[in-house]
């Protein structure tokens, strides 16, 4: 089982900056697109860290690993970054599937938008962490990432925004390491369907008015 996230923080660059930590009661199977702990494997924790919109480090995985060490997180885990205040995480549950989302949409872009030299606008980040209460096989885990992404894009469309997501969105799906392996994670599968509904509800609930954390600082 994955714990409810703990809101904590760290002092960095002269500021107190929030972060969220999930701990697993036992190692879980996971698939993730995160900069730290991405891919498929066994993970023990998840970290979602707020950063200022000016963040430009070229070693995000190392940065996240250092944050995990400061928190005493042992073993392999997943680390995510976002410009929004992670204290505003939204939780939705559907048929045993739990989803936590930090949503910063700004102005999302279409996935197949023409290439440009630099982003035309600040686009934010949508980070999705999900727990499915049954073991999924490798293909089903990969499919679950696609399902969560499709549900996020559906919510963005229903919010009236002309895009499918932001360039820095990330998805992490975790599940138990034992039991019969489910073969499917698509939006009409046993676990993909509630995953899609929960992600859709979480993103839709936040809407388009999220202000980046660093924009709220004095001065």
């Amino acid at each position: 089982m994955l714990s409810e996230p703990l809101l904590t923080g760290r002092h960095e660059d002269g500021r107190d900056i929030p972060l969220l930590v999930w701990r697993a009661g036992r190692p879980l199977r996971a698939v993730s697109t995160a900069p730290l702990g991405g891919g498929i494997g066994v993970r023990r924790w998840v970290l979602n860290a707020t950063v200022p919109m000016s963040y430009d480090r070229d070693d995000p995985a190392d940065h996240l690993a250092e944050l995990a060490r400061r928190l005493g997180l042992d073993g392999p885990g997943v680390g995510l970054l976002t410009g929004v205040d992670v204290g505003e995480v939204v939780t939705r549950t559907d048929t045993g599937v739990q989803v936590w989302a930090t949503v910063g949409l700004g102005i999302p872009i279409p996935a197949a938008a023409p290439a440009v030299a630099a982003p035309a606008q600040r686009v934010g980040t949508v980070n999705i962490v999900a727990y499915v209460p049954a073991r999924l096989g490798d293909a089903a885990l990969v499919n679950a990432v696609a399902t969560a992404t499709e549900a996020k894009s559906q919510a963005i469309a229903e919010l009236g925004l002309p895009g499918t997501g932001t360039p820095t969105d990330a998805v992490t799906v975790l599940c138990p390491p034992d039991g019969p392996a489910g073969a499917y994670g698509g939006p009409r599968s046993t676990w993909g369907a509630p995953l899609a509904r929960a992600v859709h509800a979480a993103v839709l609930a936040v809407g388009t008015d999220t202000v980046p954390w660093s924009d709220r600082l004095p001065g």
Side-chain angles (χ1 to χ4, degrees):
M1 186 68 179
L2 193 64
S3 69
E4 287 294 325
L6 170 68
L7 178 62
T8 181
R10 84 272 189 189
H11 192 74
E12 193 171 86
D13 297 328
R15 300 167 172 170
D16 293 317
I17 309 178
L19 51 82
L20 281 178
V21 182
W22 293 257
R23 289 180 169 88
R26 57 173 176 160
L28 300 173
R29 277 174 53 77
V31 61
S32 181
T33 65
L36 176 66
I40 295 177
V42 173
R43 305 289 183 260
R44 294 178 176 270
W45 47 265
V46 179
L47 174 65
N48 191 10
T50 294
V51 293
M53 292 299 287
S54 58
Y55 187 85
D56 61 356
R57 289 184 57 156
D58 59 5
D59 62 343
D62 291 342
H63 183 201
L64 285 159
E66 173 57 29
L67 294 180
R69 284 192 291 271
R70 292 186 206 171
L71 292 167
L73 298 173
D74 296 324
V78 173
L80 308 120
L81 297 169
T82 178
V84 304
D85 184 344
V86 295
E88 297 178 352
V89 61
V90 173
T91 304
R92 291 293 184 271
T93 302
D94 191 305
T95 321
V97 174
Q98 292 179 279
V99 165
W100 299 269
T102 52
V103 181
L105 284 171
I107 303 174
I109 64 168
V116 293
Q121 66 277 318
R122 292 161 47 164
V123 292
T125 296
V126 180
N127 283 340
I128 295 166
V129 176
Y131 176 77
V132 175
R135 183 186 174 203
L136 299 178
D138 285 357
L141 281 173
V142 174
N143 205 355
V145 171
T147 294
T149 302
E150 290 172 12
K152 174 199 69 180
S153 296
Q154 179 184 340
I156 291 171
E158 291 175 11
L159 290 168
L161 298 174
T164 55
T166 88
T168 54
D169 292 353
V171 178
T172 300
V173 180
L174 304 103
C175 68
D178 48 23
Y184 306 107
R188 292 297 175 265
S189 65
T190 299
W191 296 111
L195 172 64
R197 292 191 296 265
V199 169
H200 173 262
V203 176
L204 203 60
V206 177
T208 61
D209 297 329
T210 302
V211 177
W213 171 81
S214 54
D215 285 4
R216 301 175 179 176
L217 299 178

